[in-house]
Structure formats: structure tokens, C-alpha cells
Amino acid sequence: MYEGKQFSDYIIRLRKKNCVSLQSLCEGLCTFQELSYLENGTRRLDRTLEDMLLERLGIGAEDDEYYLNPAEYQRWLCRLRILHSISFEQFQKAISLLEEYRSLYCGETEGISIDNIGNIPATDKLELQFYFSMLAQIRRCMGASRSELYVLFKKALAFTMPMFDHKPLTEMTLSLKELNLLLETEMYRKGGCRPERYHEITAYLESRSLDKRGRAKIYPKAVYYLCLSTLYPEQKPESDPLPEADHISSRNVIILFKQCNKALAILRDSGRMYFLWELLSIRETLLNHLPENFFSNKESQAANALHTETKEWKWVLKTLSMDFHVPLKTFDYCYLYVIKGAFCINDVIRVRRKMLGLSQKDLCHGICSLRTLQRLEACTTSPQKAIISDLFDRLGLPKALTRTELVFDNPEVRTLMESIRESVNDHQWAKADNMQKKLKKLVSLDIKSNLQVMENVELGIKWGQGEISIIEYYQKMLKTLELTLPYRAFLEEGQKYLTISEQTCIQNLMLAMDKKSPEFLLCLHRLEEIYLPYAKAEIFEAVSGKYEYIMGYAARTWTNMGQYDKSDEYGSSITHGCLRFHRLIYLHDSLYDRLRNYSQRKTEGIPTDQELDTKKELTRCLLLSRFLKHKYSEDFFKKKLTSLSD
């Protein structure tokens, strides 16, 4: 993303855009002096601290690639395994991993109290906050009492928000993790939670400038907890079912109904389902308690549509929960802590060098000593960032050690790139073209990786609009890939490291190939070699967006080749990953792939372990597409259902 001065400029721009003072940004987190060093571009901070600062400024890290030294990478891996164990309900394993993490990174925690945390260094505060935050949600899943949970959540929150109950939120700048802990602390508060506090939190979120996915991670939960505290003061968040809410005033019903709809809209726009079942259940209750005159006669159809929509979406979630044995409700908040796209710098340099056929001597010439590179590749040292940046540059990689696909310092770039992807996925080519032309003016095309991304996007739009032949598309996409990576280096045997942009170029190249050609099958095999290890190591959430994209494509390819078991294996990991990590974007595709495999087996007389109801499966795909507002997919499944009826 950004390195040195670029990163500091980005922080300054974000801070000014959000009208956040230096004092407010660092309060409870780090010293004013540390933040000043960062903004001056004279010093970088610990990565966990920088991530927290970005989060306080409304930016998540879902699209980033992180390059970590060996110690940082091991810490990331330890965290990821804890998060994976919790999300997959392996609580005893999670406890064991968490205690191992505590001994490595937190030290003794018994004597720590809210009164003595003031002088703890920023990085240690964040480690301790992670430990107590994970412990709290594990203990909740294991049936801990309200009083125990209150103590754990309050302690976790106090590491960076010691004044959380004595200062208005409007005077604070908070991250998603801090807001989440605030929600939880209030829910288990002695004497019961206060609806007015949740009103304060939702109002704070509505006033904040958050990116789309960041807002989806916290606003729906805040609204759900607000509804719980107002409608059912004695109800714990994990309780089920909800009682009726006959005591609530019409005014409160209307307020909650509108906020509930807003939260659902945020989930739809981001393709996520955090607290989706809970919010749909709340909306169902609220619909039954709205004043009779809330909908006018002209709006009666809209009211009926909302009732139907709510029931349909609940049906989809309930049947998916039953069929795939996953929780119906959102029981964890691990998604707030998952950092994707992390790589060990030392491994990347070693693997990339061998990919490109460079000797150690050739790579380090004029940059560092041969001994330094040898120690680096052996993971026994972490050289200066200037050396790493120069090595990356020679390897065809952007110099920044934390980055998105594009290197930029303008916050608008991230939003535009996301909007372009959405438009392309829905085949809105003209809209995507207008946005990519605007984006082109905001990034430096002198940076090869930026040029690669922009040419990749432009070629995809031209092909989608029918302005370019398949042969020309292939030739230009190949040239785009080779801005940073020789194609032959990808095709040869051996370990691979490719940037997200390079992987996208290769997959787009494959779109223009004969699907039975040796070239296509070799490309597919090389991509599988990159991504299958993540599934085997049970950490595919670390690359889940790209994993779903690449392996979903592989699954569909194997279906077309009659390899139904292999396709189902890939599709199953995608489906379970989507459901466990509350992602909807690829869910309808993976469900449809499963149905295609089933139908082909039936047609070819191949025995199958399970019976699928074709109408039910297509209906779920249709409703999921509609929830995501993917018009292209929705129309496709409508046609499939219509042909089934005929």
C-alpha cells in the first residue's frame, strides 16, 4: 500500500478528511510523539499499532498484502490459528492455542487490572487486548456467567479505552475492535445494558466515515444489540428464540424498524451476513408491531414484499445451516481480527528469486552483501527496509511492504477500485469504464504494478463491451502480466509467489484459452499448487476472497471436465468458508456448482451420496443473488427456475 512518506501522507489525508486531531487519534493507544514521528515520515510503528490507527480512521485491511519479518509472520500465524479454531467451534483447541500465545507475546496476565495499565507500551496493550478479547468470546461459547464476561470484556476494552464509561463517544476516535468491545461490555454490564448507550454507539457509527466492509462488520451488530436492549432488556445476545415485544411503544418500533432496514442494506451492499439471522428475526417481529397507518394504502404492496422477503431470506439461512451444519447465528467476532494476505518477507524473496531463475549473487549485486541475502533467505535476519525494498524492486514487486493492489496515497482510490469490481461482476461495463478512467488519474502509472492493475481492468472492460477480439485480449493480457512477471516463470515447476494483480492477469489469460488445451490445464494446476496448501493448513480465511475466486473457477473447470468429486471438494471448502466467515459473494456460485455436479452424475448414471432438490437449490441461489443485488446472476437463476417449471 504505502511506505515511508507515502504512508505518512495517507495517514495525514485520512485524519484531515475525518477531522480527527492527533490527540484524539492516539488517545489511549500510543504517545503523541510516536504518532508525530509517523506523520513526519521519520519512523514506522509496529504493524499492529499502525493497523489500529488506520482502523480508527475508518480503514480496514481486507484488500492489503502484508510482508512481515519471520517473527511478525509467526505472530500472525499464531493469531490466525486461534481465530480459525474459534470460528470452527473448536474451543478447547482455541484455549490451548490462546494460552500458548499468551506465554509468547503477553507474559503474565494475572496481576493486570484496569488501574495499572496506564504505563504499558502501545504494542503490549494491543497484545493483551487481543488475548482478553479472544478469551472472552471463548468463555462465552463455553457458558461463562454474565459477571465473568463483563470483567473480561471490560478489561480488554480498558487497554486502549480507559475512559470508556466517563467520556462521550463524540469526543473519541475508535476502531472497529474497540467499538465491538464497547458493545459487548455494555451487554454484560452489571445492572443490565442501557438502550441509550446503544443509541449513542449507533449515532457515533452513522457520523463516522467508514469503508463499506468496515461498516458492515460493526453497524449491524450495534443495531441488533440496540434492538435487544430496547425490546428484551433481560435477553442475552446468544439466547433463542426471541419473545414477543408487546410492551414496546409505536415510536420505538418505528425507530428500530428503520435502523434494522439500514443495517440490512449495509450487509447487502457489502456481501456480508454478520448478524443477518438476528436482524431478520428482529425485523419480522417489528413488522408485526408497526402501527396500522405506518404503510399507506399505496404502500401495502411494499409491506407485503418486506414480509415475504424476510421469510424467504430466513428460509435460505435456516436451510443452509441445517444442510451444512453451521451455526445459524453470529456467535463470534473473529472476522474483526483476521488479517489476510500476510507473507514472510524472507520466504517471498527466496521463492521469487528461484522463480525468476536468479542466482543469489545476481539478486543482491549493488544492493547488499551475498552473506546478508543468504542469512535473509535462511530466515536468520531481518535486513533494513531499504534493502528489502530494493530487492523487491529487482524481483518485479512493488517496494511497499504493506499495500493494496494499487500503490496510492489518495483515500478515494480504494473506494473506486471496489466499485469497479462490483460493476464488472454485474456486467455494468459502461459504469465500470467511467470509473476506471477516473481512477487512472489518481494513481501513478510510472509504478509498474499500478500500470499492470489499470491495464488489466481496462482490458476486461473492453472485452466485456465487445471492443476487442479474444486473440487481441490474450496478447495484451500476456503483455500486461509480463510488466512484472515472465509468463514462463509461472508455468515452470517449483514454489511460486505471485502478487494479487499477477494472479488476476493469469486467470484472465485463462478466460481466452481453449479449456482443453495443455496450456490451460497447466495454468490451472499451477494456481491449485498455490492455494491448496492454505486449505490443508486450515487457514484459507487468510486468503479467503482470492481463494474463493481462484478455487471456485477451478471447481467449475473440473465440473466441465467431468471431475465431479474434485469439483465438489473445492466447492465444499468454499461453501463452508463463506458460511463460517459470514461472506455471501461467492456462496450462490458454490451452491450452483454443487447442483451442476449432482445433475451431471444423475444424467450419466453415476451413484451419488445425497439427493438434492433442484428447485430448492435454484431458489436458494436466486434469493442469495437478489440479496446481493447481483442482477445478472438473479436473471440467470430466474431463467433456470422457469425452464424447470416448463
Side-chain angles (χ1 to χ4, degrees):
M1 187 170 66
Y2 335 94
E3 195 66 10
K5 194 70 175 72
Q6 243 180 343
F7 184 81
S8 63
D9 288 346
Y10 183 71
I11 290 283
I12 292 168
R13 283 193 182 208
L14 278 174
R15 191 169 59 75
K16 289 182 177 178
K17 177 186 173 185
N18 296 324
C19 301
V20 174
S21 68
L22 278 167
Q23 291 88 343
S24 180
L25 182 57
C26 68
E27 184 180 17
L29 190 56
C30 62
T31 66
F32 181 87
Q33 189 177 42
E34 285 175 311
L35 189 53
S36 297
Y37 285 145
L38 179 65
E39 289 206 355
N40 291 335
T42 56
R43 186 183 300 176
R44 293 295 298 267
L45 306 177
D46 180 85
R47 289 179 187 274
T48 55
L49 178 53
E50 288 186 354
D51 287 343
M52 185 66 101
L53 290 169
L54 280 173
E55 230 182 79
R56 282 189 169 191
L57 292 170
I59 298 296
E62 284 216 8
D63 296 321
D64 293 357
E65 291 175 289
Y66 285 79
Y67 298 90
L68 311 174
N69 66 42
E72 290 172 330
Y73 185 76
Q74 283 304 311
R75 180 175 63 177
W76 169 80
L77 202 54
C78 287
R79 282 193 174 207
L80 192 64
R81 285 171 176 155
I82 293 166
L83 297 169
H84 184 94
S85 299
I86 295 171
S87 295
F88 281 80
E89 302 173 88
Q90 300 166 345
F91 301 124
Q92 289 298 337
K93 181 179 178 181
I95 282 284
S96 176
L97 289 170
L98 185 62
E99 285 308 302
E100 183 181 333
Y101 187 91
R102 179 196 61 74
S103 66
L104 288 171
Y105 302 108
C106 303
E108 186 54 57
T109 57
E110 286 297 324
I112 296 175
S113 69
I114 293 175
D115 298 326
N116 64 8
I117 64 175
N119 296 322
I120 298 175
T123 304
D124 293 346
K125 284 183 185 179
L126 293 175
E127 294 292 3
L128 287 161
Q129 187 172 74
F130 173 80
Y131 170 77
F132 282 105
S133 178
M134 293 302 109
L135 182 60
Q137 63 175 337
I138 294 169
R139 290 294 301 139
R140 176 165 62 191
C141 293
M142 297 175 77
S145 67
R146 290 181 63 89
S147 58
E148 180 187 344
L149 294 175
Y150 177 72
V151 169
L152 290 174
F153 282 121
K154 183 178 179 182
K155 185 176 288 188
L157 179 61
F159 283 110
T160 59
M161 279 184 69
M163 299 296 291
F164 71 90
D165 217 14
H166 304 283
K167 190 174 181 179
L169 291 186
T170 51
E171 296 178 14
M172 301 184 192
T173 303
L174 305 175
S175 70
L176 301 183
K177 298 180 184 73
E178 290 167 313
L179 286 161
N180 173 68
L181 291 171
L182 188 60
L183 289 168
E184 298 287 15
T185 303
E186 183 64 32
M187 179 55 65
Y188 295 98
R189 177 178 170 272
K190 295 175 182 177
C193 54
R194 300 161 291 184
E196 62 271 19
R197 187 62 163 161
Y198 287 126
H199 275 293
E200 185 184 5
I201 296 171
T202 53
Y204 175 84
L205 286 168
E206 287 165 2
S207 70
R208 286 285 309 278
S209 175
L210 294 172
D211 62 23
K212 186 184 291 187
R213 277 172 286 186
R215 190 173 297 278
K217 287 177 179 178
I218 196 67
Y219 188 81
K221 181 173 183 174
V223 170
Y224 173 58
Y225 276 26
L226 168 63
C227 291
L228 273 187
S229 66
T230 307
L231 299 173
Y232 320 109
E234 303 302 318
Q235 193 90 347
K236 291 196 292 184
E238 61 270 23
S239 301
D240 200 35
L242 294 173
E244 284 301 309
D246 298 319
H247 62 283
I248 193 75
S249 70
S250 295
R251 179 177 177 276
N252 275 336
V253 167
I254 292 170
I255 290 171
L256 296 179
F257 178 71
K258 289 180 177 178
Q259 287 191 288
C260 202
N261 283 335
K262 183 174 181 179
L264 289 168
I266 287 170
L267 289 173
R268 295 183 70 183
D269 287 342
S270 63
R272 299 297 188 269
M273 50 182 175
Y274 312 119
F275 293 88
L276 179 54
W277 171 265
E278 293 90 329
L279 287 168
L280 289 171
S281 299
I282 291 285
R283 185 167 81 168
E284 192 171 47
T285 298
L286 294 171
L287 276 166
N288 294 328
H289 287 81
L290 283 169
E292 290 184 7
N293 61 350
F294 181 77
F295 292 105
S296 66
N297 291 333
K298 292 181 180 179
E299 294 175 321
S300 58
Q301 286 186 330
N304 291 334
L306 278 177
H307 275 285
T308 302
E309 179 183 85
T310 304
K311 283 181 167 50
E312 287 177 339
W313 288 346
K314 286 189 72 176
W315 171 79
V316 171
L317 294 176
K318 190 167 187 177
T319 57
L320 287 173
S321 174
M322 293 170 63
D323 290 353
F324 293 95
H325 310 289
V326 295
L328 192 55
K329 303 179 76 173
T330 307
F331 72 89
D332 71 303
Y333 48 77
C334 292
Y335 51 86
L336 289 170
Y337 290 85
V338 170
I339 293 177
K340 303 174 187 175
F343 303 94
C344 180
I345 292 168
N346 308 54
D347 293 340
V348 168
I349 290 173
R350 184 187 71 255
V351 170
R352 186 81 171 191
R353 176 183 63 77
K354 291 180 178 179
M355 269 183 69
L356 298 178
L358 293 172
S359 68
Q360 289 181 326
K361 188 175 179 180
D362 289 338
L363 176 57
C364 70
H365 179 70
I367 297 174
C368 64
S369 69
L370 179 60
R371 178 62 179 152
T372 296
L373 180 60
Q374 289 171 338
R375 292 176 64 203
L376 188 154
E377 290 194 359
C379 293
T380 59
T381 188
S382 298
Q384 297 174 354
K385 289 181 179 178
I387 292 175
I388 295 169
S389 294
D390 287 343
L391 291 172
F392 270 33
D393 190 45
R394 189 163 288 176
L395 292 167
L397 301 171
K399 292 184 176 184
L401 301 186
T402 309
R403 60 172 184 261
T404 59
E405 282 183 85
L406 290 165
V407 179
F408 60 89
D409 60 10
N410 189 330
E412 190 180 355
V413 169
R414 186 187 288 262
T415 305
L416 269 173
M417 194 66 189
E418 192 171 286
S419 298
I420 290 170
R421 286 197 191 97
E422 291 171 358
S423 299
V424 167
N425 287 341
D426 214 23
H427 294 207
Q428 297 178 24
W429 304 114
K431 183 178 178 182
D433 191 36
N434 288 333
M435 286 189 289
Q436 74 89 13
K437 286 173 181 173
K438 184 177 179 182
L439 179 59
K440 221 171 183 179
K441 298 175 182 177
L442 298 176
V443 297
S444 170
L445 298 183
D446 293 332
I447 300 172
K448 283 186 179 180
S449 58
N450 281 0
L451 181 61
Q452 185 178 67
V453 172
M454 295 311 304
E455 287 190 358
N456 196 338
V457 169
E458 190 171 352
L459 282 170
I461 293 170
K462 282 184 176 179
W463 195 23
Q465 291 177 315
E467 296 177 3
I468 188 172
S469 70
I470 192 168
I471 295 173
E472 190 179 0
Y473 174 82
Y474 177 91
Q475 291 171 342
K476 290 191 173 182
M477 189 61 72
L478 181 59
K479 188 176 178 181
T480 299
L481 169 66
E482 294 197 327
L483 285 169
T484 62
L485 178 72
Y487 184 38
R488 60 160 181 78
F490 168 71
L491 295 176
E492 289 174 359
E493 288 187 12
Q495 276 188 292
K496 302 283 184 297
Y497 173 75
L498 282 74
T499 65
I500 289 175
S501 177
E502 289 166 348
Q503 292 174 49
T504 304
C505 284
I506 288 163
Q507 191 173 17
N508 287 340
L509 268 177
M510 293 169 70
L511 295 174
M513 295 177 193
D514 177 352
K515 302 304 180 286
K516 295 182 180 179
S517 68
E519 180 189 14
F520 178 87
L521 293 174
L522 182 56
C523 285
L524 184 64
H525 183 56
R526 294 293 180 247
L527 288 175
E528 289 175 325
E529 287 176 336
I530 292 171
Y531 279 94
L532 283 174
Y534 287 101
K536 290 177 181 176
E538 297 188 329
I539 56 169
F540 60 80
E541 60 269 30
V543 288
S544 60
K546 205 65 185 171
Y547 181 90
E548 292 155 7
Y549 185 55
I550 297 286
M551 299 309 288
Y553 184 74
R556 287 185 286 282
T557 300
W558 290 120
T559 294
N560 295 334
M561 294 181 179
Q563 300 282 335
Y564 308 127
D565 290 346
K566 195 169 188 177
S567 176
D568 275 343
E569 181 185 346
Y570 292 176
S572 177
S573 68
I574 292 169
T575 302
H576 281 90
C578 284
L579 293 171
R580 287 284 176 180
F581 298 103
H582 318 288
R583 296 166 57 85
L584 283 169
I585 296 173
Y586 295 97
L587 188 54
H588 59 284
D589 288 331
S590 64
L591 291 173
Y592 183 61
D593 291 341
R594 185 179 75 140
L595 177 61
R596 281 185 66 205
N597 292 335
Y598 170 79
S599 300
Q600 286 298 117
R601 287 189 182 98
K602 284 288 188 182
T603 300
E604 296 172 25
I606 300 172
T608 178
D609 294 343
Q610 58 181 332
E611 290 293 322
L612 296 181
D613 182 328
T614 302
K615 184 177 181 181
K616 171 187 171 183
E617 297 300 320
L618 288 173
T619 301
R620 289 200 297 203
C621 292
L622 170 66
L623 293 174
L624 287 168
S625 300
R626 187 174 294 160
F627 182 86
L628 290 166
K629 296 188 275 192
H630 284 184
K631 191 70 170 60
Y632 181 82
S633 297
E634 184 182 344
D635 290 343
F636 173 82
F637 291 119
K638 275 182 183 176
K639 289 176 184 175
K640 287 289 180 183
L641 278 166
T642 301
S643 64
L644 190 67
S645 301
D646 295 341

